């Protein structure tokens, strides 16, 4: 088939429009990240998305310790939350946490600590029940090396004796304030980037309500989460939880947590 030397005018206009649209999509990232297009392809799998102020990510402006950067994600008034993905654009392990609620939510408050390899945008992407991702984020500045640094456990000969030790509390909120679950797990969360140190990290955690046993939340994590992680969730109307988890090597942990009467 012979290709004409010139494209018809309307085809040329369409090509130019597509190029301009693509350039505009790249420029529309409010954080102006060089890695956003790759993150959008990997994390969002090409699904439609919008940048949304209802998704807020809070991290320090400067990470004093790149192996343990405090992170808090707040999602408000997005009906039918299906999943939440926390990712750092320029990390070697981009995705840190995926939250999978087991019942209909329109708001989520979640906190933990992550590693950052360098200065990077940290994002939270929220999938609603219409298949649209809502994305929020912010930059954190860091000296670097958080993901590639070995864990403290890797140089402690006794670390395996405490592997999987877990503890937590539920703090009862005052009127109009959600209850807060906090729990921690002894685990190296090694990424396997150091010679002789194998990859070992908590992979999946399930949170079940007490006494009915219904699963409230499933959480998938990677080695981008900090060593000996602490997780915090806000809930309402929960008397207690049973938490079960496993790492990528099949090691398991479990704990049961009852509510108290105090607010943290």
């Amino acid at each position: 088939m012979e290709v004409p030397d010139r494209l018809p005018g309307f085809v040329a206009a369409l090509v130019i429009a597509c190029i301009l649209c693509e350039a505009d999509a790249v420029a529309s990232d409010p954080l102006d990240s060089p890695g956003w297009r790759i993150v959008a392809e990997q994390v969002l799998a090409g699904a439609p998305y919008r940048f949304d102020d209802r998704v807020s990510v809070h991290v320090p402006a400067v990470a004093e310790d790149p192996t343990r950067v405090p992170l808090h994600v707040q999602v408000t008034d997005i009906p039918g939350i299906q999943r939440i993905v926390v990712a750092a654009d320029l990390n070697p392990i981009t995705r840190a946490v995926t939250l999978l609620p087991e019942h209909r939510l329109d708001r989520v408050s979640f906190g933990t600590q992550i590693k950052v390899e360098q200065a990077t945008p940290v994002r939270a992407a929220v999938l609603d029940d219409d298949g649209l991702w809502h994305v929020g984020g912010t930059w954190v500045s860091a000296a670097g090396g958080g993901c590639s640094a070995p864990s403290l456990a890797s140089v402690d000969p006794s670390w395996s004796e405490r592997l999987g030790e877990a503890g937590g509390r539920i703090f009862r909120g005052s009127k109009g304030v959600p209850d807060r679950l906090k729990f921690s797990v002894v685990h190296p969360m090694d990424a396997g980037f150091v010679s002789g140190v194998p990859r070992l990290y908590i992979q999946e955690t399930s949170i079940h309500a007490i006494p009915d046993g219904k699963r409230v939340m499933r959480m998938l994590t990677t080695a981008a989460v900090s060593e000996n992680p602490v997780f915090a969730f806000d809930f309402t109307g929960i008397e207690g939880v049973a938490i079960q988890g496993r790492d990528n090597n099949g090691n398991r942990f479990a704990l049961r947590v009852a509510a108290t009467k105090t607010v943290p």
Side-chain angles (χ1 to χ4, degrees), residues 166-180:
R169 290 182 70 183
I170 293 176
F171 300 90
R172 183 68 75 199
S174 58
K175 186 176 181 181
V177 177
D179 302 334
R180 177 162 295 173

Side-chain angles (χ1 to χ4, degrees), residues 5-44:
D5 293 336
R6 294 185 179 181
L7 291 172
F10 75 94
V11 176
L14 181 61
V15 170
I16 293 171
C18 289
I19 294 172
L20 291 175
C21 286
E22 183 177 1
D24 183 66
V26 175
S28 68
D29 174 17
L31 302 182
D32 194 24
S33 168
W36 167 243
R37 292 185 66 188
I38 295 174
V39 172
E41 291 172 4
Q42 292 179 345
V43 174
L44 310 186

Side-chain angles (χ1 to χ4, degrees), residues 105-249:
L105 297 174
D106 63 2
R107 58 184 61 233
V108 171
S109 178
F110 165 74
T112 189
Q113 308 82 33
I114 65 171
K115 308 168 190 173
V116 294
E117 187 67 12
Q118 58 183 305
T120 180
V122 179
R123 317 253 188 185
V126 180
L127 181 65
D128 68 20
D129 54 11
D130 290 325
L132 176 67
W133 288 94
H134 304 259
V135 183
T138 189
W139 275 89
V140 58
S141 178
C147 293
S148 56
S151 67
L152 295 177
S154 64
V155 295
D156 180 359
S158 64
W159 72 268
S160 59
E161 298 173 6
R162 299 190 60 212
L163 179 69
E165 284 185 12
R169 290 182 70 183
I170 293 176
F171 300 90
R172 183 68 75 199
S174 58
K175 186 176 181 181
V177 177
D179 302 334
R180 177 162 295 173
L181 164 66
K182 287 185 178 180
F183 69 95
S184 61
V185 185
V186 175
H187 204 283
M189 302 299 288
D190 272 312
F193 293 152
V194 178
S195 178
V197 179
R199 184 173 58 171
L200 186 64
Y201 60 92
I202 297 170
Q203 195 166 47
E204 182 172 356
T205 304
S206 293
I207 303 172
H208 299 257
I210 295 175
D212 61 20
K214 290 183 179 179
R215 187 161 62 183
V216 177
M217 181 84 69
R218 205 158 59 96
M219 176 173 64
L220 309 179
T221 47
T222 72
V225 174
S226 300
E227 180 179 7
N228 300 330
V230 178
F231 301 102
F233 298 88
D234 285 354
F235 291 110
T236 55
I238 291 180
E239 296 301 320
V241 294
I243 302 171
Q244 303 170 353
R246 62 173 177 81
D247 66 19
N248 65 309
N249 244 14

